mmCIF file of all heavy atoms in Angstrom:
data_model
loop_
_atom_site.group_PDB
_atom_site.id
_atom_site.type_symbol
_atom_site.label_atom_id
_atom_site.label_comp_id
_atom_site.label_asym_id
_atom_site.label_seq_id
_atom_site.Cartn_x
_atom_site.Cartn_y
_atom_site.Cartn_z
ATOM 1 N N PHE Y 1 0.815 -1.219 0.000
ATOM 2 C CA PHE Y 1 0.000 0.000 0.000
ATOM 3 C C PHE Y 1 0.847 1.266 0.000
ATOM 4 O O PHE Y 1 0.682 2.151 0.838
ATOM 5 C CB PHE Y 1 -0.979 0.002 1.191
ATOM 6 C CG PHE Y 1 -1.758 -1.263 1.298
ATOM 7 C CD1 PHE Y 1 -1.496 -2.178 2.307
ATOM 8 C CD2 PHE Y 1 -2.744 -1.559 0.368
ATOM 9 C CE1 PHE Y 1 -2.210 -3.360 2.398
ATOM 10 C CE2 PHE Y 1 -3.469 -2.740 0.454
ATOM 11 C CZ PHE Y 1 -3.202 -3.638 1.469
ATOM 12 N N ILE Y 2 1.788 1.329 -0.921
ATOM 13 C CA ILE Y 2 2.673 2.493 -0.999
ATOM 14 C C ILE Y 2 2.474 3.221 -2.312
ATOM 15 O O ILE Y 2 1.905 2.691 -3.262
ATOM 16 C CB ILE Y 2 4.149 2.093 -0.840
ATOM 17 C CG1 ILE Y 2 4.544 1.105 -1.942
ATOM 18 C CG2 ILE Y 2 4.423 1.526 0.526
ATOM 19 C CD1 ILE Y 2 6.012 0.921 -2.077
ATOM 20 N N GLU Y 3 2.959 4.417 -2.353
ATOM 21 C CA GLU Y 3 2.925 5.254 -3.553
ATOM 22 C C GLU Y 3 4.358 5.454 -4.034
ATOM 23 O O GLU Y 3 5.318 5.220 -3.298
ATOM 24 C CB GLU Y 3 2.303 6.616 -3.220
ATOM 25 C CG GLU Y 3 0.914 6.560 -2.633
ATOM 26 C CD GLU Y 3 -0.138 6.196 -3.655
ATOM 27 O OE1 GLU Y 3 0.061 6.522 -4.840
ATOM 28 O OE2 GLU Y 3 -1.150 5.590 -3.266
ATOM 29 N N GLN Y 4 4.501 5.941 -5.245
ATOM 30 C CA GLN Y 4 5.819 6.217 -5.816
ATOM 31 C C GLN Y 4 6.616 7.152 -4.904
ATOM 32 O O GLN Y 4 7.807 6.952 -4.687
ATOM 33 C CB GLN Y 4 5.672 6.827 -7.204
ATOM 34 C CG GLN Y 4 6.999 7.158 -7.856
ATOM 35 C CD GLN Y 4 6.834 7.686 -9.269
ATOM 36 O OE1 GLN Y 4 5.833 7.468 -9.926
ATOM 37 N NE2 GLN Y 4 7.826 8.393 -9.736
ATOM 38 N N GLU Y 5 5.970 8.166 -4.361
ATOM 39 C CA GLU Y 5 6.647 9.118 -3.479
ATOM 40 C C GLU Y 5 7.227 8.437 -2.244
ATOM 41 O O GLU Y 5 8.286 8.841 -1.755
ATOM 42 C CB GLU Y 5 5.695 10.229 -3.043
ATOM 43 C CG GLU Y 5 5.527 11.326 -4.062
ATOM 44 C CD GLU Y 5 6.821 12.056 -4.388
ATOM 45 O OE1 GLU Y 5 7.566 12.419 -3.455
ATOM 46 O OE2 GLU Y 5 7.095 12.263 -5.576
ATOM 47 N N ASP Y 6 6.550 7.414 -1.726
ATOM 48 C CA ASP Y 6 7.057 6.679 -0.567
ATOM 49 C C ASP Y 6 8.405 6.027 -0.888
ATOM 50 O O ASP Y 6 9.340 6.073 -0.083
ATOM 51 C CB ASP Y 6 6.070 5.593 -0.129
ATOM 52 C CG ASP Y 6 4.722 6.141 0.294
ATOM 53 O OD1 ASP Y 6 4.679 7.249 0.868
ATOM 54 O OD2 ASP Y 6 3.711 5.462 0.045
ATOM 55 N N ILE Y 7 8.498 5.420 -2.055
ATOM 56 C CA ILE Y 7 9.729 4.746 -2.468
ATOM 57 C C ILE Y 7 10.836 5.772 -2.688
ATOM 58 O O ILE Y 7 11.961 5.597 -2.212
ATOM 59 C CB ILE Y 7 9.496 3.909 -3.737
ATOM 60 C CG1 ILE Y 7 8.516 2.781 -3.429
ATOM 61 C CG2 ILE Y 7 10.819 3.360 -4.263
ATOM 62 C CD1 ILE Y 7 8.013 2.051 -4.642
ATOM 63 N N ILE Y 8 10.519 6.845 -3.391
ATOM 64 C CA ILE Y 8 11.522 7.886 -3.649
ATOM 65 C C ILE Y 8 12.046 8.445 -2.332
ATOM 66 O O ILE Y 8 13.260 8.602 -2.147
ATOM 67 C CB ILE Y 8 10.936 8.993 -4.546
ATOM 68 C CG1 ILE Y 8 10.691 8.441 -5.956
ATOM 69 C CG2 ILE Y 8 11.850 10.216 -4.579
ATOM 70 C CD1 ILE Y 8 9.911 9.370 -6.861
ATOM 71 N N HIS Y 9 11.158 8.751 -1.405
ATOM 72 C CA HIS Y 9 11.562 9.314 -0.118
ATOM 73 C C HIS Y 9 12.458 8.335 0.655
ATOM 74 O O HIS Y 9 13.483 8.721 1.220
ATOM 75 C CB HIS Y 9 10.315 9.667 0.698
ATOM 76 C CG HIS Y 9 10.616 10.277 2.019
ATOM 77 N ND1 HIS Y 9 11.064 11.571 2.157
ATOM 78 C CD2 HIS Y 9 10.556 9.765 3.263
ATOM 79 C CE1 HIS Y 9 11.262 11.825 3.438
ATOM 80 N NE2 HIS Y 9 10.959 10.739 4.125
ATOM 81 N N MET Y 10 12.091 7.065 0.667
ATOM 82 C CA MET Y 10 12.863 6.069 1.404
ATOM 83 C C MET Y 10 14.252 5.866 0.787
ATOM 84 O O MET Y 10 15.261 5.865 1.495
ATOM 85 C CB MET Y 10 12.125 4.737 1.444
ATOM 86 C CG MET Y 10 12.841 3.724 2.300
ATOM 87 S SD MET Y 10 12.082 2.120 2.312
ATOM 88 C CE MET Y 10 12.190 1.679 0.601
ATOM 89 N N ILE Y 11 14.320 5.710 -0.527
ATOM 90 C CA ILE Y 11 15.602 5.478 -1.196
ATOM 91 C C ILE Y 11 16.495 6.708 -1.094
ATOM 92 O O ILE Y 11 17.709 6.598 -0.885
ATOM 93 C CB ILE Y 11 15.382 5.066 -2.670
ATOM 94 C CG1 ILE Y 11 14.644 3.724 -2.737
ATOM 95 C CG2 ILE Y 11 16.703 5.020 -3.431
ATOM 96 C CD1 ILE Y 11 15.383 2.563 -2.108
ATOM 97 N N GLU Y 12 15.921 7.900 -1.231
ATOM 98 C CA GLU Y 12 16.708 9.124 -1.100
ATOM 99 C C GLU Y 12 17.327 9.203 0.302
ATOM 100 O O GLU Y 12 18.509 9.502 0.445
ATOM 101 C CB GLU Y 12 15.833 10.341 -1.370
ATOM 102 C CG GLU Y 12 16.595 11.637 -1.373
ATOM 103 C CD GLU Y 12 15.718 12.792 -1.793
ATOM 104 O OE1 GLU Y 12 15.446 12.926 -3.002
ATOM 105 O OE2 GLU Y 12 15.294 13.552 -0.900
ATOM 106 N N GLY Y 13 16.541 8.927 1.327
ATOM 107 C CA GLY Y 13 17.071 8.930 2.694
ATOM 108 C C GLY Y 13 18.171 7.901 2.876
ATOM 109 O O GLY Y 13 19.192 8.171 3.529
ATOM 110 N N LEU Y 14 17.989 6.726 2.299
ATOM 111 C CA LEU Y 14 18.993 5.671 2.370
ATOM 112 C C LEU Y 14 20.293 6.112 1.710
ATOM 113 O O LEU Y 14 21.382 5.950 2.274
ATOM 114 C CB LEU Y 14 18.465 4.398 1.705
ATOM 115 C CG LEU Y 14 19.442 3.232 1.582
ATOM 116 C CD1 LEU Y 14 19.865 2.732 2.954
ATOM 117 C CD2 LEU Y 14 18.816 2.119 0.772
ATOM 118 N N MET Y 15 20.210 6.694 0.525
ATOM 119 C CA MET Y 15 21.406 7.141 -0.188
ATOM 120 C C MET Y 15 22.137 8.244 0.578
ATOM 121 O O MET Y 15 23.366 8.243 0.673
ATOM 122 C CB MET Y 15 21.044 7.647 -1.595
ATOM 123 C CG MET Y 15 20.529 6.587 -2.539
ATOM 124 S SD MET Y 15 21.791 5.341 -2.873
ATOM 125 C CE MET Y 15 21.031 3.914 -2.152
ATOM 126 N N ILE Y 16 21.386 9.155 1.164
ATOM 127 C CA ILE Y 16 21.987 10.245 1.942
ATOM 128 C C ILE Y 16 22.735 9.676 3.142
ATOM 129 O O ILE Y 16 23.882 10.051 3.414
ATOM 130 C CB ILE Y 16 20.914 11.258 2.370
ATOM 131 C CG1 ILE Y 16 20.403 12.023 1.140
ATOM 132 C CG2 ILE Y 16 21.455 12.219 3.428
ATOM 133 C CD1 ILE Y 16 19.139 12.820 1.372
ATOM 134 N N GLU Y 17 22.119 8.751 3.858
ATOM 135 C CA GLU Y 17 22.771 8.157 5.029
ATOM 136 C C GLU Y 17 23.990 7.328 4.641
ATOM 137 O O GLU Y 17 25.001 7.326 5.354
ATOM 138 C CB GLU Y 17 21.782 7.315 5.834
ATOM 139 C CG GLU Y 17 20.761 8.134 6.587
ATOM 140 C CD GLU Y 17 21.392 9.168 7.512
ATOM 141 O OE1 GLU Y 17 22.340 8.826 8.261
ATOM 142 O OE2 GLU Y 17 20.951 10.328 7.483
ATOM 143 N N LEU Y 18 23.913 6.615 3.511
ATOM 144 C CA LEU Y 18 25.073 5.839 3.051
ATOM 145 C C LEU Y 18 26.256 6.754 2.745
ATOM 146 O O LEU Y 18 27.389 6.463 3.128
ATOM 147 C CB LEU Y 18 24.712 5.026 1.807
ATOM 148 C CG LEU Y 18 23.943 3.742 2.049
ATOM 149 C CD1 LEU Y 18 23.468 3.144 0.734
ATOM 150 C CD2 LEU Y 18 24.791 2.744 2.812
ATOM 151 N N VAL Y 19 26.003 7.849 2.055
ATOM 152 C CA VAL Y 19 27.088 8.780 1.731
ATOM 153 C C VAL Y 19 27.676 9.366 3.007
ATOM 154 O O VAL Y 19 28.897 9.437 3.175
ATOM 155 C CB VAL Y 19 26.599 9.897 0.779
ATOM 156 C CG1 VAL Y 19 27.636 11.003 0.656
ATOM 157 C CG2 VAL Y 19 26.282 9.326 -0.590
ATOM 158 N N LYS Y 20 26.821 9.799 3.936
ATOM 159 C CA LYS Y 20 27.308 10.378 5.192
ATOM 160 C C LYS Y 20 28.143 9.374 5.986
ATOM 161 O O LYS Y 20 29.140 9.736 6.596
ATOM 162 C CB LYS Y 20 26.130 10.852 6.041
ATOM 163 C CG LYS Y 20 25.486 12.116 5.549
ATOM 164 C CD LYS Y 20 24.334 12.504 6.472
ATOM 165 C CE LYS Y 20 23.660 13.781 6.012
ATOM 166 N NZ LYS Y 20 22.534 14.130 6.894
ATOM 167 N N THR Y 21 27.736 8.110 5.977
ATOM 168 C CA THR Y 21 28.417 7.095 6.759
ATOM 169 C C THR Y 21 29.692 6.592 6.084
ATOM 170 O O THR Y 21 30.741 6.496 6.717
ATOM 171 C CB THR Y 21 27.475 5.895 7.015
ATOM 172 O OG1 THR Y 21 26.314 6.373 7.694
ATOM 173 C CG2 THR Y 21 28.151 4.822 7.845
ATOM 174 N N LEU Y 22 29.598 6.274 4.807
ATOM 175 C CA LEU Y 22 30.729 5.660 4.108
ATOM 176 C C LEU Y 22 31.723 6.673 3.539
ATOM 177 O O LEU Y 22 32.902 6.356 3.391
ATOM 178 C CB LEU Y 22 30.212 4.762 2.975
ATOM 179 C CG LEU Y 22 29.331 3.602 3.413
ATOM 180 C CD1 LEU Y 22 28.798 2.856 2.194
ATOM 181 C CD2 LEU Y 22 30.099 2.655 4.331
ATOM 182 N N TYR Y 23 31.246 7.861 3.198
ATOM 183 C CA TYR Y 23 32.097 8.874 2.577
ATOM 184 C C TYR Y 23 31.869 10.236 3.235
ATOM 185 O O TYR Y 23 31.380 11.165 2.599
ATOM 186 C CB TYR Y 23 31.804 8.974 1.077
ATOM 187 C CG TYR Y 23 31.962 7.652 0.358
ATOM 188 C CD1 TYR Y 23 30.855 6.866 0.064
ATOM 189 C CD2 TYR Y 23 33.216 7.190 -0.008
ATOM 190 C CE1 TYR Y 23 30.995 5.645 -0.581
ATOM 191 C CE2 TYR Y 23 33.371 5.978 -0.653
ATOM 192 C CZ TYR Y 23 32.253 5.210 -0.936
ATOM 193 O OH TYR Y 23 32.403 4.002 -1.569
ATOM 194 N N PRO Y 24 32.220 10.376 4.503
ATOM 195 C CA PRO Y 24 31.931 11.638 5.198
ATOM 196 C C PRO Y 24 32.620 12.856 4.579
ATOM 197 O O PRO Y 24 32.173 13.985 4.778
ATOM 198 C CB PRO Y 24 32.417 11.382 6.629
ATOM 199 C CG PRO Y 24 33.333 10.215 6.532
ATOM 200 C CD PRO Y 24 32.904 9.412 5.345
ATOM 201 N N GLU Y 25 33.667 12.619 3.812
ATOM 202 C CA GLU Y 25 34.360 13.738 3.154
ATOM 203 C C GLU Y 25 33.603 14.255 1.928
ATOM 204 O O GLU Y 25 33.867 15.356 1.450
ATOM 205 C CB GLU Y 25 35.790 13.338 2.762
ATOM 206 C CG GLU Y 25 35.884 12.371 1.593
ATOM 207 C CD GLU Y 25 35.605 10.906 1.927
ATOM 208 O OE1 GLU Y 25 35.268 10.558 3.073
ATOM 209 O OE2 GLU Y 25 35.723 10.089 0.992
ATOM 210 N N LYS Y 26 32.679 13.482 1.420
ATOM 211 C CA LYS Y 26 31.883 13.888 0.256
ATOM 212 C C LYS Y 26 30.718 14.745 0.709
ATOM 213 O O LYS Y 26 30.168 14.550 1.784
ATOM 214 C CB LYS Y 26 31.335 12.671 -0.497
ATOM 215 C CG LYS Y 26 32.375 11.716 -0.987
ATOM 216 C CD LYS Y 26 32.948 12.168 -2.277
ATOM 217 C CE LYS Y 26 33.911 11.106 -2.802
ATOM 218 N NZ LYS Y 26 34.530 11.511 -4.020
ATOM 219 N N LYS Y 27 30.326 15.685 -0.107
ATOM 220 C CA LYS Y 27 29.210 16.565 0.216
ATOM 221 C C LYS Y 27 28.084 16.357 -0.794
ATOM 222 O O LYS Y 27 28.328 16.327 -1.999
ATOM 223 C CB LYS Y 27 29.643 18.032 0.189
ATOM 224 C CG LYS Y 27 30.763 18.343 1.161
ATOM 225 C CD LYS Y 27 30.341 18.110 2.597
ATOM 226 C CE LYS Y 27 31.490 18.362 3.549
ATOM 227 N NZ LYS Y 27 31.524 17.479 4.672
ATOM 228 N N ILE Y 28 26.882 16.240 -0.305
ATOM 229 C CA ILE Y 28 25.708 16.149 -1.170
ATOM 230 C C ILE Y 28 25.300 17.582 -1.488
ATOM 231 O O ILE Y 28 25.068 18.382 -0.581
ATOM 232 C CB ILE Y 28 24.573 15.378 -0.489
ATOM 233 C CG1 ILE Y 28 25.034 13.938 -0.209
ATOM 234 C CG2 ILE Y 28 23.318 15.398 -1.356
ATOM 235 C CD1 ILE Y 28 24.075 13.125 0.611
ATOM 236 N N ILE Y 29 25.235 17.903 -2.751
ATOM 237 C CA ILE Y 29 25.019 19.281 -3.180
ATOM 238 C C ILE Y 29 23.612 19.768 -2.885
ATOM 239 O O ILE Y 29 23.415 20.905 -2.461
ATOM 240 C CB ILE Y 29 25.336 19.430 -4.681
ATOM 241 C CG1 ILE Y 29 26.818 19.140 -4.914
ATOM 242 C CG2 ILE Y 29 24.970 20.809 -5.186
ATOM 243 C CD1 ILE Y 29 27.207 19.018 -6.359
ATOM 244 N N GLN Y 30 22.616 18.916 -3.094
ATOM 245 C CA GLN Y 30 21.243 19.375 -2.921
ATOM 246 C C GLN Y 30 20.376 18.296 -2.298
ATOM 247 O O GLN Y 30 20.333 17.171 -2.779
ATOM 248 C CB GLN Y 30 20.665 19.788 -4.274
ATOM 249 C CG GLN Y 30 19.308 20.427 -4.182
ATOM 250 C CD GLN Y 30 18.813 20.916 -5.535
ATOM 251 O OE1 GLN Y 30 19.552 20.946 -6.500
ATOM 252 N NE2 GLN Y 30 17.574 21.288 -5.585
#
């Protein structure tokens, strides 16, 4: 019972946390 926005929001959060954890020297621009 999910919508496309639910998936986008979840995956975006996952990618942000992965970058922060694995590559703290990298900066997410937006």
Side-chain angles (χ1 to χ4, degrees):
F1 310 108
I2 59 166
E3 303 287 330
Q4 179 177 339
E5 279 299 314
D6 299 326
I7 295 169
I8 291 171
H9 181 74
M10 185 183 61
I11 296 298
E12 185 174 284
L14 175 63
M15 293 296 115
I16 291 167
E17 288 305 313
L18 281 171
V19 169
K20 286 180 180 179
T21 302
L22 299 176
Y23 304 99
E25 72 281 3
K26 302 277 185 182
K27 301 297 177 216
I28 298 173
I29 296 170
Q30 187 176 350

